Structures are given as structure tokens and as C-alpha cells.
Amino acid sequence: MFARQGIATRRLFSLFVTISGAAAIASCSPSVEQRGNLPSADKMSEIRAGSTTKEEVTKILGTPSSVSVFNNDKSWYYISRRTAQTAFFDPDVLDQQVYVVSFDDQGVVRGVDHKVLQDGVEVTPVARATPAPGRELSFLEQLLGNLGKFNGSGSRTSGSGGGTLPGPNPTDRRN
């Protein structure tokens, strides 16, 4: 009887290990996400430089993912990005494509440019601090400098509540 219980326990344990292992392997598979809507090649071929207007581009491709900020809406960007992320790690970019539709002053297409992931340039921000005028005060200087600000002789009354506001009296001309 104990032998049968031992065999059943072993089978149950091996089933548990198998299910746990399958769950662990499944949880480590990367999840792939597609963001943005990349226009098809057929739709892109309908855009003609020198004749297609902004309204026609909107009808053919839809609204852009982004528009230029610095040159008065003269460039529209259609952006698509595919990423894969495994568990809690940072996502990896698998593919990125950008179509840039440029317009002239009259709103007619000037040109269409296609960029891929390899065309991107990584920008590293410079870690600098902007100096502020004046000098740094030590903790003791800050503490001693604040001592005179809390006495009642230099306070003024506010107009509505009758309370006092800390700080120098604006009518006091002493320097």
C-alpha cells in the first residue's frame, strides 16, 4: 500500500515539475509589439512629388504619426517600430521605418524620404550643470542667515486676515 502511494506521489511530483518547467519557459519567451502604422508600398507609390497636396496625402496615407515642429508643418512623419521584450529586460528594437513627406510653401509634396533603423543616430546628452550666479552658502551660513528673519519687529500685516507676513517692512528705509 505504501509502495502505491510512493508511486502516485512521484508521478504527481513529476507532473508538477513538468508543468512548472513549461510555465517558466513560456514566461521567458519575448513578446513582440508593433507600434505605428506603416503605409504600404502601393500607397506610397501614389504620392507624386510636385503634384500631390496635403489633403490628398491625408486621404491616401491617413494622418501622420508626427509633424515637424520647427519648419511650420512642412514635414510629415509616418513612423513604424517593432520591438521585442523578454521578461523585465529593456525592449530590443527589431525594425523601425520612417517615411518623411516634405511639403513646399503651397502645401504640395516636395519629396518623400524613407529611413530605416540603420539610418538612426544615437544622441548622448551632455551631463553638465548650468552655473547659477552667486556663491554656495554653507549649512552654517544658511542657518545664521535665517535667524534674523523670524523675529516680530520686521513683520508687516496683510490686508485681509489681519495676520503678519514675515519679511522686511516695505516702508522701512533703514539699510
Side-chain angles (χ1 to χ4, degrees):
M1 180 164 154
F2 290 115
R4 287 186 184 178
Q5 275 186 328
I7 293 172
T9 305
R10 286 183 194 150
R11 285 184 181 170
L12 186 61
F13 180 73
S14 65
L15 180 64
F16 175 74
V17 169
T18 304
I19 291 173
S20 298
I25 290 171
S27 67
C28 291
S29 65
S31 63
V32 178
E33 290 187 8
Q34 174 74 35
R35 297 191 185 242
N37 187 14
L38 191 65
S40 66
D42 296 339
K43 290 187 176 190
M44 290 307 297
S45 65
E46 294 179 33
I47 308 298
R48 307 250 185 252
S51 62
T52 310
T53 64
K54 282 186 178 183
E55 293 80 21
E56 293 170 336
V57 171
T58 304
K59 287 179 186 175
I60 296 168
L61 303 178
T63 57
S65 303
S66 182
V67 296
S68 61
V69 176
F70 297 111
N71 64 357
N72 296 331
D73 194 28
K74 290 185 182 177
S75 295
W76 287 3
Y77 303 96
Y78 293 88
I79 304 167
S80 173
R81 177 182 263 193
R82 194 166 47 109
T83 60
Q85 183 173 6
T86 303
F88 53 84
F89 297 107
D90 289 334
D92 295 321
V93 178
L94 302 175
D95 182 39
Q96 177 174 306
Q97 296 186 38
V98 178
Y99 282 103
V100 182
V101 181
S102 303
F103 299 97
D104 60 14
D105 292 332
Q106 288 75 32
V108 178
V109 174
R110 187 175 63 211
V112 178
D113 195 15
H114 181 232
K115 303 284 186 184
V116 293
L117 182 62
Q118 291 76 15
D119 293 329
V121 177
E122 190 166 331
V123 177
T124 306
V126 177
R128 290 188 285 203
T130 303
R135 65 180 190 88
E136 292 288 326
L137 297 176
S138 68
F139 175 74
L140 188 59
E141 288 174 323
Q142 291 178 16
L143 184 66
L144 293 175
N146 285 328
L147 286 178
K149 294 182 181 179
F150 298 110
N151 62 11
S153 64
S155 64
R156 61 180 190 261
T157 60
S158 67
S160 61
T164 61
L165 297 173
N169 187 345
T171 59
D172 188 11
R173 298 284 183 204
R174 292 179 285 163
N175 287 341

